[in-house]
Amino acid sequence: MAAEGAWRAARGRRRRRREEAEAEGDAVLRRLREARNDLLSSGFWAASAGAVRAPLGGTEPPARCVCYGLGRFSSCPAARSQLAFLLLLLEELAVPPGRCSVFDPAFSAQEAAALAQLGLRLLPDNEEGKHGIEGSATLFYMVHCGKALYNNLLWRNWSAGALSKMVIIGNSFKGIEERLLSRILERDYSYIAKVLKGTEEVAFPAHPRYSDTFNDTSVHWFPLQKLKELSPEVWDFVEEPTYEECEIIRKEDRADQRGLAAAES
């Protein structure tokens, strides 16, 4: 009898935990819907639509999307607004959620489950931004990511043919150029430096409600004709980037954390 009672109690605890997790997941999705409604009612989405549509006049429409660095959207309002904007963006560009891959090493299990419910695809590994488009026109959504992530992405797709099929929504490349000394930009982020003259950029509009959420955010694309006008030497050096100090989470960083957690348990 005692064993049966303990089994029933354990089953009850598991059921309560499952119910609590489902309730928390529902709350995350509800807050996400509210963030979407706020983007629409505030006018920010409508004001941003021009920037979003700007590349479509001269490049192939994206067939898929890759999103890096959303952050903890279950608890962070800015991250939640960025995710809501991404979902509106997919609708605008007619990219099915199942064609959008998402990665952030900070995602919790609850957030991963919420993304799956939305139909988005979770990337299994930390690519460090080194995602090849493999011939498919691709939108990269990378709001407030580290400079190394953009640099790695450009390196992985370093050809006029590949870059001309890409659109990047993220930190302004012009802003990066203005804030960094040229020798540091060329030494540490050489692919950003080399592509600047082949880049078209349109900034997101300023809005008091989203001044922190989307500050310094631009849409970037790379017209084939502009890329062909770059010096041939630009395409010769394709060494994989390395960083003495890196502001992104690397594969080995997560491996070290898992090893430390295992040692402590």
Short mmCIF file of all heavy atoms in Angstrom, two decimals, residues 14-49:
data_model
loop_
_atom_site.label_atom_id
_atom_site.label_comp_id
_atom_site.label_asym_id
_atom_site.label_seq_id
_atom_site.Cartn_x
_atom_site.Cartn_y
_atom_site.Cartn_z
N ARG A 14 4.17 14.67 -11.32
CA ARG A 14 4.51 14.77 -12.74
C ARG A 14 3.39 15.46 -13.52
O ARG A 14 3.65 16.28 -14.40
CB ARG A 14 4.78 13.38 -13.32
CG ARG A 14 6.11 12.78 -12.89
CD ARG A 14 6.48 11.61 -13.79
NE ARG A 14 5.50 10.52 -13.68
CZ ARG A 14 5.57 9.52 -12.81
NH1 ARG A 14 6.58 9.47 -11.94
NH2 ARG A 14 4.67 8.57 -12.80
N ARG A 15 2.15 15.13 -13.18
CA ARG A 15 1.02 15.74 -13.87
C ARG A 15 0.97 17.24 -13.59
O ARG A 15 0.74 18.05 -14.49
CB ARG A 15 -0.29 15.08 -13.47
CG ARG A 15 -1.50 15.61 -14.24
CD ARG A 15 -2.77 14.86 -13.92
NE ARG A 15 -3.14 14.98 -12.52
CZ ARG A 15 -3.09 13.99 -11.62
NH1 ARG A 15 -2.68 12.78 -12.00
NH2 ARG A 15 -3.44 14.17 -10.36
N ARG A 16 1.22 17.62 -12.33
CA ARG A 16 1.20 19.04 -11.97
C ARG A 16 2.32 19.79 -12.70
O ARG A 16 2.11 20.90 -13.19
CB ARG A 16 1.34 19.22 -10.46
CG ARG A 16 0.07 18.92 -9.69
CD ARG A 16 0.16 19.45 -8.27
NE ARG A 16 1.25 18.82 -7.52
CZ ARG A 16 1.11 17.66 -6.87
NH1 ARG A 16 -0.03 17.01 -6.91
NH2 ARG A 16 2.13 17.16 -6.19
N ARG A 17 3.52 19.18 -12.76
CA ARG A 17 4.62 19.84 -13.48
C ARG A 17 4.29 20.00 -14.96
O ARG A 17 4.59 21.04 -15.55
CB ARG A 17 5.91 19.02 -13.31
CG ARG A 17 6.56 19.16 -11.94
CD ARG A 17 8.01 18.69 -11.98
NE ARG A 17 8.10 17.27 -12.29
CZ ARG A 17 8.13 16.30 -11.37
NH1 ARG A 17 8.08 16.61 -10.08
NH2 ARG A 17 8.23 15.04 -11.74
N ARG A 18 3.66 18.97 -15.53
CA ARG A 18 3.28 19.05 -16.94
C ARG A 18 2.23 20.14 -17.16
O ARG A 18 2.32 20.93 -18.10
CB ARG A 18 2.74 17.70 -17.42
CG ARG A 18 2.44 17.65 -18.90
CD ARG A 18 2.15 16.23 -19.37
NE ARG A 18 0.98 15.68 -18.72
CZ ARG A 18 1.01 14.70 -17.81
NH1 ARG A 18 2.18 14.17 -17.45
NH2 ARG A 18 -0.09 14.25 -17.26
N GLU A 19 1.27 20.22 -16.26
CA GLU A 19 0.24 21.25 -16.37
C GLU A 19 0.83 22.64 -16.20
O GLU A 19 0.44 23.58 -16.89
CB GLU A 19 -0.87 20.99 -15.34
CG GLU A 19 -1.71 19.74 -15.65
CD GLU A 19 -2.64 19.40 -14.51
OE1 GLU A 19 -2.49 20.01 -13.41
OE2 GLU A 19 -3.52 18.53 -14.69
N GLU A 20 1.76 22.79 -15.25
CA GLU A 20 2.41 24.08 -15.04
C GLU A 20 3.21 24.49 -16.27
O GLU A 20 3.20 25.65 -16.69
CB GLU A 20 3.32 24.02 -13.81
CG GLU A 20 2.56 23.94 -12.50
CD GLU A 20 3.48 23.65 -11.32
OE1 GLU A 20 4.71 23.50 -11.55
OE2 GLU A 20 2.98 23.56 -10.19
N ALA A 21 3.93 23.52 -16.87
CA ALA A 21 4.72 23.82 -18.07
C ALA A 21 3.82 24.24 -19.22
O ALA A 21 4.13 25.18 -19.97
CB ALA A 21 5.55 22.60 -18.47
N GLU A 22 2.68 23.56 -19.37
CA GLU A 22 1.73 23.91 -20.44
C GLU A 22 1.17 25.30 -20.21
O GLU A 22 1.03 26.09 -21.16
CB GLU A 22 0.61 22.88 -20.50
CG GLU A 22 1.05 21.53 -21.05
CD GLU A 22 -0.04 20.48 -20.96
OE1 GLU A 22 -1.12 20.81 -20.40
OE2 GLU A 22 0.17 19.36 -21.44
N ALA A 23 0.86 25.63 -18.94
CA ALA A 23 0.34 26.96 -18.63
C ALA A 23 1.37 28.04 -18.91
O ALA A 23 1.06 29.11 -19.46
CB ALA A 23 -0.10 27.02 -17.16
N GLU A 24 2.64 27.77 -18.56
CA GLU A 24 3.70 28.74 -18.83
C GLU A 24 3.91 28.92 -20.33
O GLU A 24 4.11 30.03 -20.81
CB GLU A 24 5.01 28.27 -18.17
CG GLU A 24 4.98 28.35 -16.65
CD GLU A 24 6.20 27.71 -16.02
OE1 GLU A 24 7.08 27.25 -16.78
OE2 GLU A 24 6.27 27.65 -14.78
N GLY A 25 3.84 27.81 -21.08
CA GLY A 25 3.98 27.89 -22.54
C GLY A 25 2.85 28.70 -23.16
O GLY A 25 3.08 29.52 -24.06
N ASP A 26 1.64 28.50 -22.67
CA ASP A 26 0.49 29.27 -23.16
C ASP A 26 0.68 30.75 -22.87
O ASP A 26 0.34 31.61 -23.69
CB ASP A 26 -0.81 28.77 -22.53
CG ASP A 26 -1.21 27.38 -23.03
OD1 ASP A 26 -0.68 26.96 -24.08
OD2 ASP A 26 -2.03 26.73 -22.36
N ALA A 27 1.24 31.06 -21.68
CA ALA A 27 1.45 32.46 -21.31
C ALA A 27 2.49 33.11 -22.22
O ALA A 27 2.35 34.28 -22.62
CB ALA A 27 1.90 32.55 -19.85
N VAL A 28 3.54 32.37 -22.58
CA VAL A 28 4.56 32.90 -23.48
C VAL A 28 3.95 33.24 -24.83
O VAL A 28 4.18 34.32 -25.40
CB VAL A 28 5.72 31.89 -23.65
CG1 VAL A 28 6.66 32.33 -24.78
CG2 VAL A 28 6.50 31.77 -22.35
N LEU A 29 3.14 32.34 -25.36
CA LEU A 29 2.51 32.57 -26.67
C LEU A 29 1.51 33.72 -26.60
O LEU A 29 1.37 34.49 -27.56
CB LEU A 29 1.84 31.29 -27.16
CG LEU A 29 2.79 30.13 -27.48
CD1 LEU A 29 2.02 28.87 -27.84
CD2 LEU A 29 3.74 30.51 -28.61
N ARG A 30 0.83 33.84 -25.47
CA ARG A 30 -0.12 34.95 -25.32
C ARG A 30 0.62 36.28 -25.31
O ARG A 30 0.21 37.24 -25.99
CB ARG A 30 -0.92 34.79 -24.02
CG ARG A 30 -2.01 35.86 -23.85
CD ARG A 30 -2.70 35.79 -22.52
NE ARG A 30 -1.82 36.17 -21.42
CZ ARG A 30 -1.33 35.33 -20.52
NH1 ARG A 30 -1.62 34.04 -20.57
NH2 ARG A 30 -0.54 35.76 -19.56
N ARG A 31 1.73 36.35 -24.57
CA ARG A 31 2.51 37.59 -24.54
C ARG A 31 3.10 37.90 -25.92
O ARG A 31 3.24 39.06 -26.30
CB ARG A 31 3.61 37.50 -23.49
CG ARG A 31 3.09 37.51 -22.05
CD ARG A 31 4.20 37.75 -21.05
NE ARG A 31 5.12 36.63 -20.99
CZ ARG A 31 5.01 35.60 -20.16
NH1 ARG A 31 3.97 35.54 -19.33
NH2 ARG A 31 5.89 34.62 -20.15
N LEU A 32 3.42 36.87 -26.66
CA LEU A 32 3.94 37.06 -28.01
C LEU A 32 2.86 37.65 -28.93
O LEU A 32 3.14 38.54 -29.73
CB LEU A 32 4.45 35.74 -28.56
CG LEU A 32 5.13 35.77 -29.93
CD1 LEU A 32 6.34 36.70 -29.91
CD2 LEU A 32 5.55 34.37 -30.34
N ARG A 33 1.64 37.17 -28.80
CA ARG A 33 0.53 37.74 -29.58
C ARG A 33 0.32 39.21 -29.21
O ARG A 33 0.05 40.04 -30.08
CB ARG A 33 -0.75 36.94 -29.35
CG ARG A 33 -0.75 35.57 -30.02
CD ARG A 33 -2.14 34.95 -30.01
NE ARG A 33 -2.61 34.67 -28.67
CZ ARG A 33 -2.39 33.52 -28.03
NH1 ARG A 33 -1.70 32.55 -28.61
NH2 ARG A 33 -2.86 33.33 -26.81
N GLU A 34 0.46 39.52 -27.94
CA GLU A 34 0.31 40.91 -27.50
C GLU A 34 1.42 41.78 -28.10
O GLU A 34 1.16 42.92 -28.51
CB GLU A 34 0.35 40.98 -25.97
CG GLU A 34 -0.87 40.34 -25.29
CD GLU A 34 -0.69 40.18 -23.79
OE1 GLU A 34 0.43 40.47 -23.29
OE2 GLU A 34 -1.65 39.76 -23.12
N ALA A 35 2.64 41.24 -28.15
CA ALA A 35 3.76 41.99 -28.75
C ALA A 35 3.50 42.24 -30.23
O ALA A 35 3.79 43.32 -30.76
CB ALA A 35 5.06 41.22 -28.55
N ARG A 36 2.95 41.24 -30.92
CA ARG A 36 2.60 41.41 -32.33
C ARG A 36 1.55 42.50 -32.50
O ARG A 36 1.69 43.38 -33.37
CB ARG A 36 2.07 40.08 -32.87
CG ARG A 36 1.45 40.17 -34.27
CD ARG A 36 0.61 38.93 -34.55
NE ARG A 36 -0.22 39.13 -35.72
CZ ARG A 36 0.06 38.70 -36.94
NH1 ARG A 36 1.18 38.04 -37.15
NH2 ARG A 36 -0.76 38.90 -37.94
N ASN A 37 0.54 42.48 -31.66
CA ASN A 37 -0.52 43.50 -31.75
C ASN A 37 0.05 44.89 -31.48
O ASN A 37 -0.36 45.88 -32.11
CB ASN A 37 -1.64 43.19 -30.76
CG ASN A 37 -2.42 41.94 -31.15
OD1 ASN A 37 -2.43 41.54 -32.31
ND2 ASN A 37 -3.07 41.32 -30.18
N ASP A 38 1.00 44.98 -30.55
CA ASP A 38 1.62 46.27 -30.25
C ASP A 38 2.42 46.80 -31.46
O ASP A 38 2.39 48.00 -31.75
CB ASP A 38 2.55 46.15 -29.04
CG ASP A 38 1.79 45.97 -27.73
OD1 ASP A 38 0.57 46.25 -27.72
OD2 ASP A 38 2.41 45.53 -26.74
N LEU A 39 3.12 45.91 -32.14
CA LEU A 39 3.87 46.32 -33.33
C LEU A 39 2.93 46.88 -34.40
O LEU A 39 3.25 47.87 -35.07
CB LEU A 39 4.65 45.13 -33.91
CG LEU A 39 5.92 44.71 -33.17
CD1 LEU A 39 6.39 43.34 -33.66
CD2 LEU A 39 7.02 45.74 -33.35
N LEU A 40 1.79 46.25 -34.53
CA LEU A 40 0.83 46.70 -35.54
C LEU A 40 0.14 47.99 -35.12
O LEU A 40 0.03 48.94 -35.90
CB LEU A 40 -0.22 45.60 -35.78
CG LEU A 40 0.31 44.31 -36.43
CD1 LEU A 40 -0.75 43.22 -36.39
CD2 LEU A 40 0.75 44.58 -37.87
N SER A 41 -0.33 48.05 -33.87
CA SER A 41 -1.09 49.23 -33.43
C SER A 41 -0.22 50.46 -33.24
O SER A 41 -0.69 51.60 -33.41
CB SER A 41 -1.82 48.91 -32.12
OG SER A 41 -0.90 48.62 -31.07
N SER A 42 1.07 50.26 -32.94
CA SER A 42 1.97 51.40 -32.75
C SER A 42 2.36 52.06 -34.06
O SER A 42 2.88 53.18 -34.07
CB SER A 42 3.25 50.93 -32.04
OG SER A 42 4.01 50.08 -32.89
N GLY A 43 2.17 51.36 -35.16
CA GLY A 43 2.58 51.88 -36.46
C GLY A 43 4.01 51.54 -36.83
O GLY A 43 4.44 51.84 -37.94
N PHE A 44 4.74 50.88 -35.91
CA PHE A 44 6.14 50.59 -36.21
C PHE A 44 6.28 49.59 -37.36
O PHE A 44 7.14 49.75 -38.23
CB PHE A 44 6.86 50.05 -34.97
CG PHE A 44 8.32 49.78 -35.21
CD1 PHE A 44 9.23 50.83 -35.29
CD2 PHE A 44 8.79 48.48 -35.38
CE1 PHE A 44 10.58 50.58 -35.54
CE2 PHE A 44 10.14 48.23 -35.62
CZ PHE A 44 11.02 49.28 -35.70
N TRP A 45 5.43 48.56 -37.36
CA TRP A 45 5.52 47.58 -38.45
C TRP A 45 5.24 48.25 -39.79
O TRP A 45 5.99 48.04 -40.75
CB TRP A 45 4.56 46.42 -38.22
CG TRP A 45 4.40 45.58 -39.45
CD1 TRP A 45 3.34 45.51 -40.29
CD2 TRP A 45 5.40 44.72 -40.03
NE1 TRP A 45 3.58 44.67 -41.33
CE2 TRP A 45 4.84 44.16 -41.21
CE3 TRP A 45 6.70 44.37 -39.68
CZ2 TRP A 45 5.54 43.27 -42.02
CZ3 TRP A 45 7.40 43.48 -40.49
CH2 TRP A 45 6.82 42.94 -41.64
N ALA A 46 4.20 49.06 -39.86
CA ALA A 46 3.86 49.73 -41.12
C ALA A 46 5.00 50.65 -41.56
O ALA A 46 5.34 50.73 -42.75
CB ALA A 46 2.57 50.51 -40.97
N ALA A 47 5.61 51.36 -40.59
CA ALA A 47 6.71 52.28 -40.92
C ALA A 47 7.95 51.52 -41.38
O ALA A 47 8.75 52.04 -42.17
CB ALA A 47 7.04 53.15 -39.71
N SER A 48 8.13 50.30 -40.89
CA SER A 48 9.31 49.50 -41.23
C SER A 48 9.14 48.74 -42.54
O SER A 48 10.13 48.23 -43.08
CB SER A 48 9.61 48.49 -40.12
OG SER A 48 9.75 49.14 -38.87
N ALA A 49 7.93 48.63 -43.02
CA ALA A 49 7.67 47.80 -44.19
C ALA A 49 8.46 48.26 -45.41
O ALA A 49 8.89 47.45 -46.22
CB ALA A 49 6.17 47.77 -44.50
#
